[in-house]
Short mmCIF file of all heavy atoms in Angstrom, two decimals:
data_model
loop_
_atom_site.label_atom_id
_atom_site.label_comp_id
_atom_site.label_asym_id
_atom_site.label_seq_id
_atom_site.Cartn_x
_atom_site.Cartn_y
_atom_site.Cartn_z
N MET A 672 117.58 97.62 85.75
CA MET A 672 118.86 98.22 86.07
C MET A 672 119.91 97.11 86.15
O MET A 672 119.69 96.10 86.79
CB MET A 672 118.73 98.97 87.40
CG MET A 672 120.02 99.56 87.88
SD MET A 672 119.93 100.46 89.45
CE MET A 672 118.61 101.58 89.18
N TYR A 673 121.01 97.33 85.47
CA TYR A 673 122.10 96.36 85.48
C TYR A 673 122.86 96.42 86.79
O TYR A 673 122.92 97.45 87.46
CB TYR A 673 123.06 96.63 84.31
CG TYR A 673 122.42 96.39 82.98
CD1 TYR A 673 122.03 97.45 82.18
CD2 TYR A 673 122.21 95.10 82.52
CE1 TYR A 673 121.43 97.23 80.95
CE2 TYR A 673 121.62 94.87 81.30
CZ TYR A 673 121.23 95.93 80.52
OH TYR A 673 120.65 95.71 79.31
N TYR A 674 123.47 95.31 87.17
CA TYR A 674 124.20 95.20 88.43
C TYR A 674 125.37 96.20 88.49
O TYR A 674 125.60 96.82 89.52
CB TYR A 674 124.70 93.76 88.61
CG TYR A 674 125.24 93.45 89.97
CD1 TYR A 674 124.43 93.52 91.09
CD2 TYR A 674 126.56 93.06 90.14
CE1 TYR A 674 124.92 93.24 92.35
CE2 TYR A 674 127.07 92.77 91.39
CZ TYR A 674 126.24 92.85 92.50
OH TYR A 674 126.73 92.57 93.74
N SER A 675 126.09 96.39 87.39
CA SER A 675 127.22 97.33 87.38
C SER A 675 126.72 98.77 87.54
O SER A 675 127.36 99.58 88.22
CB SER A 675 128.04 97.19 86.10
OG SER A 675 127.23 97.44 84.97
N GLU A 676 125.58 99.08 86.95
CA GLU A 676 124.98 100.41 87.10
C GLU A 676 124.54 100.63 88.55
O GLU A 676 124.74 101.71 89.12
CB GLU A 676 123.79 100.56 86.16
CG GLU A 676 123.14 101.92 86.20
CD GLU A 676 121.92 102.01 85.28
OE1 GLU A 676 121.58 101.03 84.60
OE2 GLU A 676 121.30 103.08 85.28
N LEU A 677 123.98 99.60 89.15
CA LEU A 677 123.55 99.67 90.54
C LEU A 677 124.74 99.91 91.47
O LEU A 677 124.69 100.75 92.37
CB LEU A 677 122.83 98.37 90.94
CG LEU A 677 122.35 98.27 92.38
CD1 LEU A 677 121.30 99.34 92.68
CD2 LEU A 677 121.78 96.89 92.64
N LYS A 678 125.86 99.22 91.21
CA LYS A 678 127.06 99.41 92.02
C LYS A 678 127.62 100.82 91.88
O LYS A 678 128.14 101.38 92.85
CB LYS A 678 128.13 98.37 91.68
CG LYS A 678 127.77 96.98 92.18
CD LYS A 678 128.92 96.02 92.07
CE LYS A 678 129.23 95.68 90.66
NZ LYS A 678 130.23 94.61 90.52
N SER A 679 127.49 101.42 90.71
CA SER A 679 127.93 102.81 90.51
C SER A 679 127.05 103.77 91.31
O SER A 679 127.56 104.67 91.98
CB SER A 679 127.89 103.18 89.03
OG SER A 679 128.88 102.50 88.33
N ILE A 680 125.74 103.57 91.24
CA ILE A 680 124.82 104.44 91.97
C ILE A 680 125.04 104.31 93.47
O ILE A 680 125.07 105.31 94.20
CB ILE A 680 123.35 104.12 91.60
CG1 ILE A 680 123.10 104.49 90.14
CG2 ILE A 680 122.38 104.85 92.51
CD1 ILE A 680 121.79 103.96 89.59
N ILE A 681 125.21 103.09 93.94
CA ILE A 681 125.46 102.88 95.36
C ILE A 681 126.77 103.53 95.77
O ILE A 681 126.84 104.23 96.78
CB ILE A 681 125.45 101.37 95.71
CG1 ILE A 681 124.02 100.83 95.60
CG2 ILE A 681 126.01 101.13 97.11
CD1 ILE A 681 123.89 99.33 95.74
N GLY A 682 127.83 103.34 95.00
CA GLY A 682 129.12 103.93 95.32
C GLY A 682 129.07 105.45 95.39
O GLY A 682 129.70 106.06 96.25
N GLN A 683 128.29 106.06 94.50
CA GLN A 683 128.18 107.51 94.47
C GLN A 683 127.40 108.06 95.66
O GLN A 683 127.54 109.22 96.01
CB GLN A 683 127.50 107.96 93.17
CG GLN A 683 128.36 107.71 91.95
CD GLN A 683 127.58 107.88 90.66
OE1 GLN A 683 126.54 108.53 90.63
NE2 GLN A 683 128.07 107.29 89.59
N ASN A 684 126.58 107.23 96.28
CA ASN A 684 125.72 107.69 97.37
C ASN A 684 126.03 107.06 98.72
O ASN A 684 125.36 107.36 99.72
CB ASN A 684 124.25 107.41 97.02
CG ASN A 684 123.80 108.22 95.83
OD1 ASN A 684 123.59 109.41 95.95
ND2 ASN A 684 123.70 107.58 94.67
N CYS A 685 127.02 106.22 98.78
CA CYS A 685 127.31 105.47 100.01
C CYS A 685 128.17 106.28 100.99
O CYS A 685 129.21 106.82 100.61
CB CYS A 685 128.04 104.17 99.65
SG CYS A 685 128.33 103.12 101.07
N ILE A 686 127.74 106.32 102.25
CA ILE A 686 128.51 107.04 103.27
C ILE A 686 129.80 106.30 103.64
O ILE A 686 130.73 106.89 104.15
CB ILE A 686 127.68 107.29 104.54
CG1 ILE A 686 127.19 105.97 105.13
CG2 ILE A 686 126.53 108.22 104.26
CD1 ILE A 686 126.60 106.09 106.51
N GLY A 687 129.85 105.02 103.35
CA GLY A 687 131.02 104.22 103.68
C GLY A 687 132.00 104.06 102.54
O GLY A 687 132.98 103.33 102.65
N TYR A 688 131.74 104.75 101.40
CA TYR A 688 132.62 104.61 100.23
C TYR A 688 134.03 105.11 100.56
O TYR A 688 134.22 106.21 101.05
CB TYR A 688 132.07 105.39 99.03
CG TYR A 688 132.97 105.29 97.82
CD1 TYR A 688 132.95 104.15 97.03
CD2 TYR A 688 133.86 106.30 97.49
CE1 TYR A 688 133.79 104.04 95.93
CE2 TYR A 688 134.69 106.20 96.39
CZ TYR A 688 134.65 105.06 95.62
OH TYR A 688 135.48 104.94 94.54
N ASN A 689 135.00 104.26 100.29
CA ASN A 689 136.40 104.59 100.51
C ASN A 689 137.18 104.07 99.30
O ASN A 689 137.31 102.86 99.12
CB ASN A 689 136.90 103.92 101.80
CG ASN A 689 138.29 104.34 102.16
OD1 ASN A 689 138.72 105.43 101.86
ND2 ASN A 689 139.02 103.46 102.81
N PRO A 690 137.68 104.97 98.44
CA PRO A 690 138.34 104.53 97.20
C PRO A 690 139.57 103.67 97.49
O PRO A 690 140.28 103.89 98.45
CB PRO A 690 138.72 105.83 96.51
CG PRO A 690 138.71 106.86 97.56
CD PRO A 690 137.74 106.42 98.61
N ARG A 691 139.78 102.68 96.63
CA ARG A 691 140.95 101.81 96.75
C ARG A 691 142.25 102.60 96.56
O ARG A 691 143.25 102.30 97.17
CB ARG A 691 140.90 100.68 95.73
CG ARG A 691 139.81 99.69 96.00
CD ARG A 691 139.89 98.54 94.99
NE ARG A 691 138.67 97.77 95.01
CZ ARG A 691 138.45 96.73 95.80
NH1 ARG A 691 139.38 96.35 96.64
NH2 ARG A 691 137.31 96.08 95.75
N SER A 692 142.22 103.60 95.67
CA SER A 692 143.41 104.41 95.42
C SER A 692 143.00 105.80 94.96
O SER A 692 141.87 106.00 94.53
CB SER A 692 144.30 103.75 94.37
OG SER A 692 143.64 103.77 93.11
N ALA A 693 143.91 106.73 95.02
CA ALA A 693 143.64 108.10 94.58
C ALA A 693 143.36 108.17 93.09
O ALA A 693 142.60 109.01 92.63
CB ALA A 693 144.82 109.01 94.93
N THR A 694 143.93 107.26 92.31
CA THR A 694 143.68 107.27 90.87
C THR A 694 142.25 106.88 90.55
O THR A 694 141.72 107.26 89.53
CB THR A 694 144.66 106.34 90.12
OG1 THR A 694 144.59 105.04 90.68
CG2 THR A 694 146.07 106.87 90.19
N SER A 695 141.59 106.12 91.42
CA SER A 695 140.19 105.76 91.21
C SER A 695 139.31 106.99 91.24
O SER A 695 138.34 107.08 90.52
CB SER A 695 139.71 104.79 92.30
OG SER A 695 140.38 103.58 92.23
N ILE A 696 139.66 107.94 92.08
CA ILE A 696 138.87 109.17 92.20
C ILE A 696 139.01 110.01 90.94
O ILE A 696 138.04 110.56 90.44
CB ILE A 696 139.34 110.00 93.42
CG1 ILE A 696 139.12 109.21 94.70
CG2 ILE A 696 138.61 111.33 93.49
CD1 ILE A 696 139.76 109.85 95.92
N MET A 697 140.23 110.08 90.40
CA MET A 697 140.49 110.98 89.29
C MET A 697 140.10 110.39 87.94
O MET A 697 139.77 111.13 87.03
CB MET A 697 141.97 111.35 89.27
CG MET A 697 142.37 112.16 90.49
SD MET A 697 144.07 112.70 90.44
CE MET A 697 144.96 111.18 90.68
N SER A 698 140.10 109.09 87.80
CA SER A 698 139.82 108.50 86.49
C SER A 698 138.33 108.33 86.26
O SER A 698 137.59 107.99 87.16
CB SER A 698 140.52 107.14 86.38
OG SER A 698 139.96 106.23 87.29
N MET A 699 137.90 108.62 85.08
CA MET A 699 136.54 108.40 84.61
C MET A 699 135.47 109.15 85.39
O MET A 699 134.31 108.78 85.37
CB MET A 699 136.20 106.91 84.60
CG MET A 699 137.07 106.10 83.69
SD MET A 699 136.56 104.40 83.49
CE MET A 699 136.34 103.80 85.14
N GLY A 700 135.79 110.17 86.12
CA GLY A 700 134.79 110.99 86.80
C GLY A 700 133.91 110.21 87.74
O GLY A 700 134.38 109.41 88.53
N SER A 701 132.59 110.42 87.64
CA SER A 701 131.65 109.80 88.58
C SER A 701 131.54 108.29 88.40
O SER A 701 131.13 107.59 89.31
CB SER A 701 130.27 110.45 88.44
OG SER A 701 129.75 110.21 87.16
N LEU A 702 131.90 107.77 87.23
CA LEU A 702 131.84 106.33 87.01
C LEU A 702 132.85 105.59 87.88
O LEU A 702 132.66 104.44 88.21
CB LEU A 702 132.08 105.99 85.54
CG LEU A 702 130.98 106.40 84.57
CD1 LEU A 702 131.39 106.06 83.15
CD2 LEU A 702 129.66 105.76 84.90
N ALA A 703 133.92 106.28 88.25
CA ALA A 703 134.95 105.65 89.06
C ALA A 703 134.46 105.37 90.48
O ALA A 703 134.94 104.46 91.14
CB ALA A 703 136.19 106.51 89.11
N GLN A 704 133.50 106.16 90.97
CA GLN A 704 132.99 105.95 92.31
C GLN A 704 131.92 104.87 92.25
O GLN A 704 130.74 105.12 92.06
CB GLN A 704 132.43 107.24 92.89
CG GLN A 704 132.22 107.15 94.38
CD GLN A 704 132.02 108.51 95.01
OE1 GLN A 704 132.47 109.51 94.48
NE2 GLN A 704 131.36 108.53 96.13
N SER A 705 132.36 103.64 92.42
CA SER A 705 131.52 102.47 92.33
C SER A 705 131.96 101.47 93.40
O SER A 705 133.08 101.56 93.90
CB SER A 705 131.68 101.84 90.94
OG SER A 705 131.14 100.54 90.91
N CYS A 706 131.10 100.55 93.74
CA CYS A 706 131.47 99.51 94.69
C CYS A 706 132.73 98.78 94.24
O CYS A 706 133.55 98.40 95.06
CB CYS A 706 130.33 98.51 94.86
SG CYS A 706 128.86 99.21 95.62
N ASN A 707 132.87 98.62 92.93
CA ASN A 707 134.06 97.93 92.40
C ASN A 707 135.35 98.62 92.79
O ASN A 707 136.39 97.98 92.87
CB ASN A 707 133.98 97.84 90.88
CG ASN A 707 132.91 96.90 90.42
OD1 ASN A 707 132.53 95.97 91.12
ND2 ASN A 707 132.38 97.14 89.24
N ASN A 708 135.31 99.93 93.02
CA ASN A 708 136.50 100.70 93.34
C ASN A 708 136.58 101.06 94.82
O ASN A 708 137.41 101.86 95.22
CB ASN A 708 136.55 101.97 92.50
CG ASN A 708 136.60 101.66 91.03
OD1 ASN A 708 137.21 100.69 90.62
ND2 ASN A 708 135.92 102.44 90.24
N CYS A 709 135.73 100.46 95.63
CA CYS A 709 135.70 100.76 97.06
C CYS A 709 136.53 99.73 97.84
O CYS A 709 136.41 98.53 97.59
CB CYS A 709 134.26 100.75 97.57
SG CYS A 709 134.09 101.10 99.33
N SER A 710 137.33 100.22 98.77
CA SER A 710 138.17 99.31 99.55
C SER A 710 137.36 98.42 100.48
O SER A 710 137.85 97.39 100.96
CB SER A 710 139.20 100.10 100.36
OG SER A 710 138.54 100.92 101.32
N ASN A 711 136.10 98.76 100.72
CA ASN A 711 135.24 97.96 101.59
C ASN A 711 134.48 96.87 100.83
O ASN A 711 133.81 96.06 101.45
CB ASN A 711 134.23 98.86 102.31
CG ASN A 711 134.90 99.85 103.21
OD1 ASN A 711 135.78 99.51 103.98
ND2 ASN A 711 134.52 101.12 103.09
N PHE A 712 134.56 96.87 99.50
CA PHE A 712 133.87 95.88 98.68
C PHE A 712 134.86 94.76 98.36
O PHE A 712 135.70 94.89 97.48
CB PHE A 712 133.33 96.53 97.40
CG PHE A 712 132.21 95.77 96.76
CD1 PHE A 712 130.97 95.69 97.36
CD2 PHE A 712 132.39 95.14 95.54
CE1 PHE A 712 129.92 95.01 96.76
CE2 PHE A 712 131.36 94.45 94.94
CZ PHE A 712 130.13 94.38 95.55
N ILE A 713 134.76 93.67 99.11
CA ILE A 713 135.73 92.58 99.03
C ILE A 713 135.03 91.29 98.61
O ILE A 713 134.05 90.88 99.22
CB ILE A 713 136.41 92.38 100.41
CG1 ILE A 713 137.05 93.69 100.86
CG2 ILE A 713 137.41 91.25 100.37
CD1 ILE A 713 137.38 93.75 102.33
N LYS A 714 135.55 90.68 97.54
CA LYS A 714 135.01 89.43 97.01
C LYS A 714 133.50 89.53 96.75
O LYS A 714 132.73 88.63 97.07
CB LYS A 714 135.31 88.26 97.95
CG LYS A 714 136.78 87.95 98.06
CD LYS A 714 137.04 86.76 98.95
CE LYS A 714 138.53 86.51 99.08
NZ LYS A 714 138.83 85.39 99.93
N GLY A 715 133.08 90.65 96.18
CA GLY A 715 131.68 90.84 95.80
C GLY A 715 130.74 91.18 96.94
O GLY A 715 129.53 91.17 96.76
N LYS A 716 131.29 91.51 98.12
CA LYS A 716 130.45 91.85 99.27
C LYS A 716 130.99 93.08 99.97
O LYS A 716 132.19 93.31 100.03
CB LYS A 716 130.39 90.70 100.26
CG LYS A 716 129.69 89.49 99.71
CD LYS A 716 129.36 88.50 100.79
CE LYS A 716 128.63 87.34 100.13
NZ LYS A 716 127.63 86.78 100.94
N CYS A 717 130.08 93.84 100.54
CA CYS A 717 130.45 95.04 101.29
C CYS A 717 130.85 94.64 102.71
O CYS A 717 130.05 94.07 103.45
CB CYS A 717 129.28 96.02 101.34
SG CYS A 717 129.63 97.51 102.27
N ALA A 718 132.08 94.94 103.09
CA ALA A 718 132.58 94.60 104.42
C ALA A 718 131.86 95.38 105.52
O ALA A 718 131.80 94.93 106.66
CB ALA A 718 134.08 94.87 104.49
N LYS A 719 131.29 96.52 105.17
CA LYS A 719 130.56 97.33 106.15
C LYS A 719 129.07 97.01 106.15
O LYS A 719 128.29 97.65 106.84
CB LYS A 719 130.78 98.81 105.87
CG LYS A 719 132.19 99.26 106.14
CD LYS A 719 132.27 100.75 106.17
CE LYS A 719 133.64 101.17 106.69
NZ LYS A 719 133.67 102.59 106.98
N ASP A 720 128.67 96.05 105.34
CA ASP A 720 127.28 95.59 105.25
C ASP A 720 126.31 96.73 104.87
O ASP A 720 125.23 96.84 105.41
CB ASP A 720 126.86 94.93 106.56
CG ASP A 720 125.69 93.97 106.37
OD1 ASP A 720 125.52 93.46 105.25
OD2 ASP A 720 124.95 93.76 107.34
N LEU A 721 126.74 97.58 103.93
CA LEU A 721 125.92 98.70 103.50
C LEU A 721 125.25 98.45 102.15
O LEU A 721 124.26 99.09 101.82
CB LEU A 721 126.78 99.97 103.40
CG LEU A 721 127.41 100.46 104.70
CD1 LEU A 721 128.43 101.55 104.42
CD2 LEU A 721 126.34 100.94 105.65
N PHE A 722 125.77 97.53 101.37
CA PHE A 722 125.31 97.32 100.00
C PHE A 722 123.83 96.97 99.92
O PHE A 722 123.07 97.60 99.20
CB PHE A 722 126.14 96.23 99.30
CG PHE A 722 125.76 96.03 97.86
CD1 PHE A 722 126.27 96.85 96.88
CD2 PHE A 722 124.87 95.02 97.49
CE1 PHE A 722 125.92 96.68 95.55
CE2 PHE A 722 124.52 94.84 96.18
CZ PHE A 722 125.04 95.67 95.20
N ASP A 723 123.38 95.97 100.67
CA ASP A 723 121.99 95.51 100.57
C ASP A 723 121.00 96.59 101.00
O ASP A 723 119.96 96.76 100.36
CB ASP A 723 121.78 94.23 101.38
CG ASP A 723 122.48 93.03 100.75
OD1 ASP A 723 122.62 93.01 99.51
OD2 ASP A 723 122.88 92.14 101.48
N ALA A 724 121.31 97.30 102.07
CA ALA A 724 120.41 98.38 102.52
C ALA A 724 120.31 99.48 101.47
O ALA A 724 119.22 99.99 101.20
CB ALA A 724 120.91 98.94 103.85
N MET A 725 121.44 99.84 100.88
CA MET A 725 121.45 100.87 99.83
C MET A 725 120.70 100.37 98.59
O MET A 725 119.97 101.13 97.97
CB MET A 725 122.88 101.25 99.46
CG MET A 725 123.69 101.86 100.55
SD MET A 725 123.63 103.64 100.73
CE MET A 725 123.80 104.29 99.13
N LYS A 726 120.88 99.11 98.24
CA LYS A 726 120.20 98.54 97.08
C LYS A 726 118.69 98.60 97.26
O LYS A 726 117.96 99.01 96.34
CB LYS A 726 120.66 97.09 96.86
CG LYS A 726 119.98 96.40 95.70
CD LYS A 726 120.54 95.02 95.47
CE LYS A 726 120.03 94.07 96.51
NZ LYS A 726 120.36 92.66 96.25
N ILE A 727 118.20 98.24 98.42
CA ILE A 727 116.77 98.28 98.69
C ILE A 727 116.26 99.71 98.61
O ILE A 727 115.21 99.97 98.01
CB ILE A 727 116.47 97.65 100.08
CG1 ILE A 727 116.72 96.15 100.02
CG2 ILE A 727 115.03 97.95 100.51
CD1 ILE A 727 116.75 95.48 101.38
N MET A 728 116.98 100.64 99.21
CA MET A 728 116.57 102.04 99.21
C MET A 728 116.51 102.59 97.77
O MET A 728 115.56 103.26 97.41
CB MET A 728 117.54 102.87 100.04
CG MET A 728 117.13 104.32 100.19
SD MET A 728 118.15 105.24 101.32
CE MET A 728 119.76 105.08 100.59
N ILE A 729 117.49 102.27 96.96
CA ILE A 729 117.52 102.76 95.58
C ILE A 729 116.41 102.13 94.74
O ILE A 729 115.75 102.82 93.97
CB ILE A 729 118.91 102.49 94.95
CG1 ILE A 729 119.92 103.46 95.57
CG2 ILE A 729 118.89 102.64 93.44
CD1 ILE A 729 121.36 103.12 95.26
N LYS A 730 116.19 100.85 94.91
CA LYS A 730 115.15 100.17 94.11
C LYS A 730 113.75 100.61 94.52
O LYS A 730 112.84 100.55 93.71
CB LYS A 730 115.30 98.66 94.23
CG LYS A 730 116.48 98.15 93.44
CD LYS A 730 116.46 96.67 93.31
CE LYS A 730 117.55 96.24 92.35
NZ LYS A 730 117.44 94.87 91.95
N THR A 731 113.57 101.05 95.76
CA THR A 731 112.24 101.51 96.20
C THR A 731 111.95 102.92 95.70
O THR A 731 110.80 103.27 95.56
CB THR A 731 112.10 101.50 97.73
OG1 THR A 731 113.24 101.06 98.38
CG2 THR A 731 110.93 100.75 98.19
N ASN A 732 112.99 103.69 95.49
CA ASN A 732 112.80 105.08 95.03
C ASN A 732 112.78 105.14 93.56
O ASN A 732 112.73 104.93 92.66
CB ASN A 732 113.89 106.00 95.56
CG ASN A 732 113.76 106.19 97.04
OD1 ASN A 732 112.67 106.20 97.56
ND2 ASN A 732 114.88 106.33 97.72
#
């Protein structure tokens, strides 16, 4: 699984996902809901510390 694909899956399933802007929600459908478009994902890290836990959960399933 590619890192960008993983960030999309995490963004779509994350309880802490908060879009950077309203246009992120409307553009590109489900692909727009990704860590890259989340206001909590800053400088490649999740400010709410949810990314690693979600990554482990997804990779185990």
Side-chain angles (χ1 to χ4, degrees):
M672 176 180 308
Y673 294 104
Y674 191 62
S675 59
E676 182 182 359
L677 179 63
K678 288 191 290 188
S679 290
I680 293 169
I681 290 173
Q683 292 168 21
N684 294 286
C685 185
I686 59 169
Y688 179 79
N689 186 29
R691 291 184 195 271
S692 68
T694 54
S695 295
I696 298 171
M697 295 184 289
S698 66
M699 299 188 310
S701 64
L702 291 177
Q704 194 165 335
S705 166
C706 294
N707 290 334
N708 299 324
C709 180
S710 64
N711 297 312
F712 201 69
I713 304 163
K714 295 182 182 179
K716 294 193 179 215
C717 179
K719 292 193 170 191
D720 203 25
L721 298 170
F722 183 83
D723 290 330
M725 297 271 314
K726 179 176 75 171
I727 290 168
M728 185 173 59
I729 287 168
K730 286 192 172 192
T731 0
N732 291 326

